[in-house]
Amino acid sequence: MPNPKRRHSQQRSAKRRTHYKAAAATLSTDSTTGELHVRHRAHVSEGKLFYKGKLVAEKSPIKK
């Protein structure tokens, strides 16, 4: 296993990490309910589970 011979400075690590950026989640408006939701994810509206504008389940899933 190769290991670094010398310790990297904090500045060097920070320069490498400058390109790591948090991206904002893409939101969409549901065609049926008109609510904002994260794209490509099912969402709960009024106790019903929707995906792609279609009703998937009547009751919302049980949370533990």
Side-chain angles (χ1 to χ4, degrees), residues 1-5:
M1 288 290 295
N3 288 317
K5 197 165 197 172

Side-chain angles (χ1 to χ4, degrees):
M1 288 290 295
N3 288 317
K5 197 165 197 172
R6 298 257 186 264
R7 184 174 185 265
H8 283 242
S9 67
Q10 292 175 353
Q11 183 180 14
R12 185 180 178 113
S13 299
K15 283 180 183 176
R16 183 181 67 248
R17 291 185 186 125
T18 59
H19 304 290
Y20 300 154
K21 297 181 179 105
T26 308
L27 298 176
S28 287
T29 307
D30 189 17
S31 58
T32 311
T33 61
E35 284 194 22
L36 280 176
H37 62 91
V38 182
R39 290 183 63 101
H40 305 106
R41 300 286 188 277
H43 66 282
V44 178
S45 175
E46 299 175 3
K48 298 175 184 175
L49 190 66
F50 287 91
Y51 183 67
K52 292 187 178 178
K54 296 176 185 169
L55 183 64
V56 179
E58 284 291 326
K59 283 190 170 180
S60 60
I62 299 169
K63 295 181 183 177
K64 289 186 178 182

